[in-house]
Amino acid sequence: MKNKIFITAALLATVLVSCNDFLEEPDDVGGKTFDNIFTNLTDAERVLAGAYALAPWGFPMNVGPWGYAIMNYYAPIAGISDEGEIMRKDLEFAHTYYHLGQLSASDAYAYREDKWDFDWQAIRSAWLFYDNADRIQNTEASTIEKRKAEALGMAATKYYELFKRYGGLPWVGQYYEAGTDVDMSRMTVTATADSIVKLCDRAIAVSALPARTTSAEFGRINKMAMMMLKARTLLVSASPLFNPEDNISYYPSFPYQNLLKHESYSKERWKLAADAAREAIAYAHDNGYELYNRPDSSVAHNYKAAMTAFPEITTTASGNMAGNNPEIIWGTRLFRNMEAGSAGYTVRIYSSSTYTSGGGYCIPLQNIVDLYETKDGSSQPADFYNDSDPYSKLDERFHVTILYHNRPFGEEGEYLDMSVGGDNDARVAGHNFTGYYLTEFFEEEWLAHTGKNVGECYWPYMRLAELYLIYAEALCEYDYAGNKAEILRYVNLIRRRAGQPDLEDTPEFRDTQEHVRMRIRNERAVELAFEEQRYFDLKRWKEGGKLGGSMYGMEVLGSAESPQFNRFLFEERVFTDKWYLYPIKEQDIMRSRGQLIQNPGW
């Protein structure tokens, strides 16, 4: 167990020190100079842990400098997409900066979704370890090579996260000592994507990097994760934001177009993404990865376990965790428990009596609820909410993702009352309320009984279901007619696990690329809901307008027994074209002496 990636605030404090600019590395770690820290594996791994400390993490939390990974003060990225809203009004930083579109390049906003500085810190820590790891003494060569491959993987991961947020990037391919004059100019979109793929390939080629991580090293990078990251990168590179079919970027007046898109459109980019996904899927199947789909378990259990169960049964201080999850490819930043403050794995369900927990305040919007199909695979009809029990007719994934009015919750015979003024109406406490709460990642006994220790947790950063959808989307865009059987095969594997009919058997199915494209996108929205995918999906598809405009909630009137459902306008949000890519921090633009070019509109 000692090799697991447990990250604490103290570790972050020793590894990460503030820098003068985003490409400058601090020159000591925990009081030790770089000249002596690499004499043994224990000290050297503290540098690599500094990169792992900043691995992607989607849960609200209170760990690290400025509460790293708190997006909008206790809310995940879903709080700025059309998936969710932030419950507590007095902490609603997102409303001003994102919903109203008032974020600027000069804002020193501690809770920004984009983590420009921290991503570069992780990249520097990764290169510091990689460039010095061969100096480590009394350690098997295979261990050193495996850790070096992990460092390459962390650099590639953070470059991918920067790429989808900023477009063409400056590139740092080694460790530089403080004060070194480094080229800060941005590469083209094409060169950036190619460079990330090459980093992935370098990590994949290391024979010592395992196909999957064992229980003892849960949280570390493995070969499968790097193959999936390659497919992810190529999918983003092929998508309309960076690869528009009309060869017109989202901001055509900007003079540096190669920072926003490839020089010219190429359909072959979709094939590259499909080929990488196909290779990754084959490798996954050869190494025991599969969808979590136990025949003796319910559809609802299988879907939730795909994101919460450990790959192996793990004995911890809090007891045995349910495991044997073959779907998780990379679960990042393992924590000891789900309790607020310890792991930040938090949620809040307002109640005038019993059900209050934690401090995380993401509440689903009606916009995401509308995307769930009915059990026969139909879209929700216009009069769907005229029914007194509409939710029972929805896809089973809805029931383990979102809490809704009259849903069983807590002790037997207890139900959530989301009606106006009801027991679970957060407006009674002055909070925002959409008529829903989030439950996807949470053990419901923990939600219903505050303080219950439920053991370890992790962020499901990569799982096999997403890889199937990457493959299906890329094939659909490249050649739908020639790959229809393969596309439907992988989409249907996911749908069958969810208890939904095969796509071609649904009432509204049409055998066209346009229709199947729409259904794949909807499948991503539902299958990967609240997993920090949709916000970036809408941007890469150039459907950013859905991040603005009207956001809806559901108001429940009438009695608990005879509810009346009333869709209401929750708020209007702003999305303009400049939001397709984030602003680079103005301070770094100024320090670059003209090398670092700002994204347009900022």
Side-chain angles (χ1 to χ4, degrees):
M1 300 282 290
K2 67 181 180 179
N3 289 323
K4 287 187 178 182
I5 305 300
F6 293 104
I7 304 301
T8 67
L11 177 60
L12 280 167
T14 61
V15 176
L16 300 178
V17 184
S18 61
C19 316
N20 288 330
D21 68 55
F22 77 102
L23 293 181
E24 184 173 299
E25 177 69 32
D27 50 19
D28 82 25
V29 178
K32 294 191 175 187
T33 66
F34 293 160
D35 289 333
N36 60 33
I37 197 170
F38 286 97
T39 58
N40 65 85
L41 183 64
T42 300
D43 283 343
E45 284 213 290
R46 294 177 67 191
V47 176
L48 185 57
Y52 271 116
L54 299 174
W57 179 257
F59 297 130
M61 60 182 293
N62 265 322
V63 174
W66 288 101
Y68 174 76
I70 300 177
M71 197 277 291
N72 293 298
Y73 205 91
Y74 294 170
I77 291 174
I80 58 172
S81 79
D82 63 348
E83 295 168 291
E85 173 55 61
I86 294 163
M87 182 176 173
R88 239 179 92 175
K89 291 181 178 179
D90 59 329
L91 299 179
E92 206 181 358
F93 297 100
H95 185 65
T96 298
Y97 288 95
Y98 293 90
H99 301 167
L100 298 183
Q102 294 180 11
L103 182 70
S104 74
S106 62
D107 283 317
Y109 174 44
Y111 305 109
R112 285 175 59 156
E113 185 283 313
D114 56 319
K115 301 296 178 184
W116 172 265
D117 286 339
F118 292 123
D119 287 343
W120 287 108
Q121 286 184 22
I123 290 169
R124 290 197 307 272
S125 292
W127 285 125
L128 172 61
F129 180 88
Y130 183 87
D131 289 350
N132 290 277
D134 290 334
R135 297 161 57 188
I136 299 171
Q137 302 172 15
N138 302 317
T139 303
E140 291 184 3
S142 60
T143 299
I144 294 174
E145 289 305 304
K146 178 168 65 172
R147 297 295 185 247
K148 286 175 67 177
E150 292 175 28
L152 290 174
M154 277 304 307
T157 299
K158 300 311 281 187
Y159 267 123
Y160 163 77
E161 293 293 330
L162 287 163
F163 176 50
K164 69 184 182 182
R165 288 168 169 85
Y166 299 98
L169 298 170
W171 192 262
V172 178
Q174 66 181 80
Y175 168 70
Y176 290 99
E177 293 184 0
T180 302
D181 188 14
V182 180
D183 183 6
M184 298 171 68
S185 58
R186 296 172 64 182
M187 297 194 306
T188 66
V189 161
T190 304
T192 300
D194 289 348
S195 297
I196 298 170
V197 167
K198 288 176 183 176
L199 272 185
C200 293
D201 284 339
R202 287 174 63 184
I204 291 166
V206 177
S207 60
L209 190 65
R212 57 194 309 146
T213 47
T214 63
S215 176
E217 296 203 335
F218 188 90
R220 290 187 181 272
I221 287 171
N222 56 50
K223 190 167 296 189
M224 187 65 238
M226 289 299 95
M227 296 183 77
M228 182 165 171
L229 184 67
K230 178 179 177 178
R232 271 184 173 179
T233 301
L234 289 169
L235 184 79
V236 170
S237 173
S239 294
L241 178 63
F242 294 140
N243 189 36
E245 195 166 351
D246 60 5
N247 202 31
I248 299 175
S249 78
Y250 73 91
Y251 217 100
S253 63
F254 186 58
Y256 306 98
Q257 289 291 298
N258 60 8
L259 301 180
L260 310 184
K261 68 174 186 66
H262 296 291
E263 184 175 355
S264 60
Y265 168 75
S266 175
K267 189 177 182 180
E268 294 302 307
R269 293 192 178 95
W270 289 111
K271 186 176 187 301
L272 290 174
D275 289 347
R278 181 189 296 110
E279 184 178 358
I281 289 169
Y283 186 79
H285 292 170
D286 287 345
N287 287 279
Y289 290 95
E290 60 184 32
L291 296 183
Y292 191 108
N293 197 15
R294 303 287 182 263
D296 57 343
S297 297
S298 68
V299 168
H301 171 81
N302 285 335
Y303 176 61
K304 179 167 274 192
M307 290 162 283
T308 58
F310 277 68
E312 299 179 18
I313 294 177
T314 307
T315 302
T316 69
S318 58
N320 289 324
M321 293 296 297
N324 295 331
N325 181 0
E327 184 166 341
I328 288 295
I329 292 171
W330 185 12
T332 58
R333 301 181 67 179
L334 176 64
F335 276 92
R336 280 292 188 191
N337 62 63
M338 299 179 187
E339 299 302 327
S342 299
Y345 194 99
T346 58
V347 71
R348 170 170 288 237
I349 296 177
Y350 174 78
S351 174
S352 59
S353 55
T354 307
Y355 310 123
T356 305
S357 181
Y361 305 101
C362 183
I363 48 177
L365 288 162
Q366 185 64 39
N367 300 54
I368 187 69
V369 175
D370 288 343
L371 299 183
Y372 285 90
E373 298 172 352
T374 61
K375 292 184 186 300
D376 73 350
S378 299
S379 55
Q380 298 173 30
D383 62 350
F384 189 63
Y385 292 96
N386 291 345
D387 193 301
S388 62
D389 187 21
Y391 301 117
S392 65
K393 300 173 175 60
L394 293 178
D395 181 337
E396 284 297 323
R397 287 173 290 189
F398 169 77
H399 298 276
V400 291
T401 300
I402 294 172
L403 298 177
Y404 52 89
H405 181 67
N406 273 346
R407 184 188 186 277
F409 186 81
E411 305 299 332
E412 185 175 354
E414 294 183 333
Y415 299 84
L416 290 171
D417 180 4
M418 307 289 205
S419 63
V420 175
D423 190 53
N424 303 114
D425 182 356
R427 288 169 294 197
V428 175
H431 297 315
N432 286 331
F433 189 54
T434 61
Y436 302 104
Y437 294 107
L438 182 65
T439 185
E440 179 170 12
F441 306 106
F442 308 107
E443 297 289 344
E444 290 193 19
E445 283 197 8
W446 179 72
L447 293 182
H449 305 285
T450 305
K452 184 177 178 64
N453 192 340
V454 290
E456 296 171 326
C457 66
Y458 62 90
W459 176 247
Y461 182 60
M462 288 184 180
R463 57 188 182 94
L464 189 61
E466 183 199 343
L467 185 57
Y468 287 176
L469 289 170
I470 289 172
Y471 183 43
E473 179 181 346
L475 281 181
C476 182
E477 297 298 336
Y478 181 65
D479 179 10
Y480 169 70
N483 293 287
K484 181 171 62 174
E486 188 82 339
I487 293 164
L488 293 175
R489 174 190 175 195
Y490 281 95
V491 173
N492 288 337
L493 284 173
I494 295 169
R495 292 178 62 83
R496 289 171 191 168
R497 193 262 297 275
Q500 290 297 100
D502 286 355
L503 197 59
E504 63 270 31
D505 295 334
T506 58
E508 300 164 8
F509 181 77
R510 298 191 302 278
D511 187 11
T512 67
Q513 181 191 42
E514 183 179 3
H515 177 78
V516 174
R517 172 191 293 135
M518 179 270 290
R519 297 296 290 270
I520 291 172
R521 290 181 179 185
N522 200 79
E523 199 67 31
R524 281 188 65 93
V526 170
E527 175 68 25
L528 307 176
F530 300 93
E531 293 183 53
E532 298 199 336
Q533 298 285 346
R534 183 157 174 82
Y535 181 75
F536 297 105
D537 279 346
L538 289 175
K539 285 187 172 184
R540 70 179 177 85
W541 294 329
K542 292 181 80 172
E543 293 185 350
K546 293 179 180 178
L547 298 171
S550 301
M551 301 295 152
Y552 293 94
M554 182 60 74
E555 188 174 57
V556 184
L557 305 172
S559 64
E561 296 76 17
S562 300
Q564 298 171 11
F565 296 96
N566 176 47
R567 181 193 308 267
F568 72 97
L569 179 63
F570 183 83
E571 70 180 8
E572 295 284 350
R573 294 182 183 174
V574 172
F575 185 92
T576 59
D577 283 348
K578 74 175 185 178
W579 276 92
Y580 276 109
L581 295 177
Y582 282 136
I584 295 172
K585 193 169 75 172
E586 187 174 76
Q587 189 177 31
D588 288 330
I589 296 288
M590 296 173 66
R591 285 172 175 163
S592 74
R593 301 179 301 280
Q595 292 181 333
L596 194 59
I597 296 170
Q598 182 61 276
N599 277 327
W602 299 99

